[in-house]
Amino acid sequence: MSSAVARPWWKDVVCYQIYPASFKDSNGDGLGDIPGILSRIDYLKDLGIDVVWISPMFDSPQVDMGYDISDYERVYTPYGLVNDMEDLIYARHQRGIKLILDLVVNHTSDQHAWFKESRSSKDNPRRDWYAEDGTRLPPTNWRSYFSGQAWEYDEQSGEYYLHLFAKEQPDLNWENEETRKAIYHSAMRFWLDKGVDGFRVDVVNIYSKGVEFKDAPIVDPRFYEQPAWCYYANGSRIHEILREMNAEVLNHYDAVTVGELPHTPDPKKVLEYVGASDKQLSMVFQSTLSTSARGASTNQGRSVSRFASDSPAYRTTSAKLLSLMLGSLTGTLFHYQGQEIGMINIPPTWPIDFYRDIESVNFYKTMAAQTQKDPAELEYVMRSLQILGRDNARLPMQWTGGKHAGFTDCETGPWTRVHDLYGEINVERQVREGKGSVLGFWKRMIRLRKEHAELLVHGAYEGFEIEDEKTFVFGKRESGEKRAAVVLNFSGEEQEVELPVYEGPVFQVGNYGDAAEKEKSIEGRIRRLRPWEGRLYLAGC
């Protein structure tokens, strides 16, 4: 059997993440929904997508935009019904597209039936299903990711409960076997039995918190509450729990798991979760580089704005640069909605009133109170949110240049403001522009990546000039003579790069659109790259 045949299906796929509130509204209420996702299924197929990942669409009070789940077996009513999800699963499978969901089981909503029963009395059978403590003072000085104390006193039960996120998101007690069994049944088997192909696993490495709650070291003397991930991330039982999850559930399905792995900068620790011989997770998002100092959730600043240039002169070039890089990197490719048309961050002129994310809003309020609304401090906060805040990725998808960007027919507009530049950056316009658009370039890169999967997806990676912070140069090697070289200029000035030595005819792709696509060979190894220019050379292919 060849290595290609033996590989798991998820090794070669392109996965597209959909934020349901912001993808497409089908019924004119201003909020995206499941039928709206279904209406754009052929758009995703044409793009070259193999897997769709839907962010939380479960029943929820929406304190944290669906990451506070009140019932794993129901859909948030404005998004649709379970029947709509079944229709979506069927339609995608008919087109050869798989579907994965968010598995959010570190915590639930405080409106979940489990928590309501847990807090009803101290002798309730589910009393130990959440992380709680009976002392009258907060058990520790731990800080929640959404600012403030991570412990909330519950008058009804007379005890504190832990919430590493919002106070409306109590943490489940993974030490309790009955709790784990209920999670496996309600949050996992229920959807796997309906044909879901796996899960993106939210903050997977913070389930195991142990039973000894210690105060966190003081790293920010301005606050009583301190970040305490050193005590609850990668806990002593986490690998045991994940092995059990596979034995009890996942091994019975051909399902993929993609773990969000915050606070794990050591590659050796990361590998402990994904070793093929020790079934825990299929793969992980190692989010240290994209995580703020105060939070675990992966911040979602748009890549064009954060890593390249969203200026009018270079935003199209920059979006193609990132497409060229991502399309050439090893591993499974994950793509966020709107990236294929080069959507950019919230304009810097937008005030805090336009932000909706609980993490961003609470952080602003905390810093305003702590600094007595110091203008310089709050200006810095707003600059930070404009770069890193989760609202950047939650603006409505820009389908057309018409009213509300074609996202909704609601007269009062969508649930959150549409980007000011939707008339310039939208799907409809880029379809007309064809191959020269960002959308056209993404389609081409996805197709090229699949045509040369053994080289681009699975080839051995080689890094060059790694000390240069303005350029990114890497190569790929496949068995035989096939080679790839990628040279990227991540700066607004011209840069010189040196190509690796590869023999044979060369096929070339560039984001400026004026480079020769075929050369008999690479003549000379020095290339002078224009601002935000990238080139991919394929040799021996």
Side-chain angles (χ1 to χ4, degrees):
M1 181 180 292
S2 70
S3 60
V5 174
R7 293 186 189 116
W9 61 264
W10 45 265
K11 288 277 190 177
D12 293 84
V13 301
V14 177
C15 183
Y16 188 99
Q17 181 187 359
I18 287 177
Y19 196 72
S22 300
F23 190 66
K24 185 69 175 78
D25 172 25
S26 71
N27 59 5
D29 65 355
L31 192 70
D33 47 45
I34 305 304
I37 297 173
L38 183 56
S39 73
R40 291 295 187 267
I41 187 171
D42 290 325
Y43 166 79
L44 298 177
K45 181 68 176 178
D46 183 58
L47 180 58
I49 300 304
D50 306 296
V51 179
V52 169
W53 152 27
I54 301 181
S55 293
M57 65 335 126
F58 313 98
D59 204 15
S60 166
Q62 299 293 317
V63 171
D64 184 24
M65 287 303 298
Y67 286 89
D68 50 320
I69 297 170
S70 56
D71 191 334
Y72 291 105
E73 299 175 28
R74 293 181 59 192
V75 174
Y76 178 51
T77 302
Y79 290 166
L81 303 170
V82 171
N83 288 346
D84 293 313
M85 282 298 299
E86 292 172 339
D87 291 344
L88 182 62
I89 293 167
Y90 175 79
R92 294 206 178 284
H93 287 175
Q94 286 294 102
R95 290 164 174 80
I97 299 175
K98 295 183 183 291
L99 185 71
I100 65 175
L101 303 181
D102 249 301
L103 182 63
V104 185
V105 289
N106 172 73
H107 47 267
T108 68
S109 165
D110 61 357
Q111 299 304 305
H112 197 292
W114 296 347
F115 188 69
K116 289 181 177 180
E117 289 186 42
S118 173
R119 73 195 305 189
S120 65
S121 67
K122 292 187 177 181
D123 58 358
N124 186 278
R126 288 179 172 160
R127 183 67 194 140
D128 193 39
W129 281 36
Y130 290 81
E132 296 167 301
D133 190 281
T135 58
R136 189 60 183 90
L137 294 174
T140 68
N141 66 344
W142 293 6
R143 175 191 292 171
S144 118
Y145 290 117
F146 295 163
S147 301
Q149 177 61 249
W151 294 93
E152 185 74 10
Y153 187 72
D154 181 24
E155 294 286 350
Q156 186 172 337
S157 66
E159 293 186 342
Y160 281 88
Y161 65 85
L162 178 67
H163 60 92
L164 292 181
F165 296 89
K167 64 182 177 63
E168 295 88 355
Q169 294 170 288
D171 280 43
L172 286 158
N173 179 15
W174 278 80
E175 299 291 322
N176 186 304
E177 182 179 3
E178 291 301 314
T179 306
R180 298 197 302 273
K181 287 182 178 179
I183 291 168
Y184 300 155
H185 172 74
S186 185
M188 299 179 72
R189 289 193 196 95
F190 179 85
W191 291 103
L192 288 167
D193 287 341
K194 291 185 180 298
V196 164
D197 300 289
F199 302 98
R200 174 266 187 185
V201 192
D202 189 59
V203 291
V204 66
N205 61 331
I206 68 173
Y207 299 167
S208 175
K209 303 175 182 70
V211 294
E212 293 184 4
F213 296 117
K214 300 178 181 179
D215 274 349
I218 297 174
V219 296
D220 190 342
R222 296 175 300 171
F223 302 93
Y224 167 73
E225 302 87 1
Q226 300 295 316
W229 59 265
C230 56
Y231 291 133
Y232 57 72
N234 306 307
S236 61
R237 294 192 65 192
I238 186 59
H239 299 293
E240 172 192 343
I241 288 170
L242 292 177
R243 292 185 192 107
E244 178 188 86
M245 181 185 290
N246 277 273
E248 293 290 325
V249 184
L250 295 168
N251 289 352
H252 302 281
Y253 305 84
D254 186 20
V256 66
T257 50
V258 190
E260 180 188 21
L261 206 69
H263 309 305
T264 314
D266 185 350
K268 292 181 180 178
K269 289 290 185 182
V270 175
L271 290 174
E272 291 177 4
Y273 288 87
V274 294
S277 61
D278 183 11
K279 287 184 178 292
Q280 294 186 48
L281 297 168
S282 305
M283 49 184 160
V284 298
F285 292 127
Q286 207 274 351
S287 56
T288 300
L289 293 178
S290 57
T291 300
S292 69
R294 294 178 58 86
S297 54
T298 303
N299 288 292
Q300 294 172 330
R302 288 283 181 179
S303 57
V304 173
S305 298
R306 187 173 181 191
F307 299 114
S309 172
D310 59 12
S311 69
Y314 289 116
R315 63 175 179 244
T316 295
T317 303
S318 293
K320 294 178 181 179
L321 173 78
L322 292 165
S323 172
L324 198 152
M325 179 188 74
L326 292 168
S328 304
L329 285 173
T330 303
T332 305
L333 175 57
F334 281 81
H335 181 105
Y336 186 77
Q337 68 182 43
Q339 190 170 13
E340 73 275 15
I341 59 171
M343 286 180 66
I344 61 177
N345 274 6
I346 287 173
T349 55
W350 285 17
I352 191 63
D353 295 345
F354 291 172
Y355 286 71
R356 304 292 296 274
D357 173 43
I358 185 175
E359 183 176 29
S360 298
V361 173
N362 282 0
F363 180 55
Y364 182 91
K365 289 178 179 178
T366 298
M367 294 306 296
Q370 184 67 28
T371 65
Q372 290 77 50
K373 298 184 178 180
D374 179 83
E377 288 282 353
L378 294 185
E379 182 183 356
Y380 176 78
V381 169
M382 289 306 301
R383 286 202 306 272
S384 300
L385 294 180
Q386 194 270 330
I387 295 171
L388 295 173
R390 296 192 294 182
D391 285 287
N392 286 301
R394 295 177 177 180
L395 300 189
M397 180 70 180
Q398 294 155 208
W399 294 105
T400 74
K403 191 174 183 180
H404 308 314
F407 167 75
T408 181
D409 293 331
C410 182
E411 284 301 318
T412 57
W415 69 277
T416 191
R417 182 168 172 163
V418 173
H419 198 286
D420 296 351
L421 295 179
Y422 72 87
E424 299 176 30
I425 306 172
N426 63 72
V427 172
E428 182 182 58
R429 178 172 179 171
Q430 294 192 21
V431 168
R432 289 198 308 268
E433 292 172 352
K435 294 181 180 179
S437 67
V438 176
L439 179 60
F441 195 86
W442 261 107
K443 289 180 181 180
R444 183 184 185 193
M445 280 305 304
I446 289 174
R447 185 172 62 251
L448 192 69
R449 177 179 176 83
K450 292 181 177 182
E451 290 172 356
H452 300 281
E454 289 301 312
L455 177 60
L456 297 179
V457 180
H458 302 287
Y461 173 89
E462 302 175 294
F464 301 97
E465 303 180 21
I466 57 176
E467 296 83 9
D468 192 329
E469 296 182 355
K470 294 183 178 180
T471 62
F472 184 20
V473 179
F474 64 91
K476 291 291 189 68
R477 288 180 176 270
E478 186 190 338
S479 58
E481 299 300 321
K482 294 182 179 180
R483 301 287 186 268
V486 182
V487 291
L488 308 164
N489 178 9
F490 278 89
S491 79
E493 301 84 33
E494 290 190 355
Q495 303 291 334
E496 280 192 354
V497 295
E498 184 175 355
L499 293 175
V501 178
Y502 291 151
E503 301 292 337
V506 170
F507 178 81
Q508 178 179 314
V509 179
N511 65 334
Y512 265 73
D514 58 357
E517 291 198 352
K518 290 186 178 179
E519 300 178 6
K520 292 183 179 180
S521 63
I522 297 178
E523 297 180 0
R525 297 179 60 195
I526 302 300
R527 290 292 184 274
R528 190 162 186 85
L529 299 181
R530 289 161 286 189
W532 310 107
E533 183 174 12
R535 297 184 189 179
L536 163 64
Y537 299 92
L538 296 174
C541 296

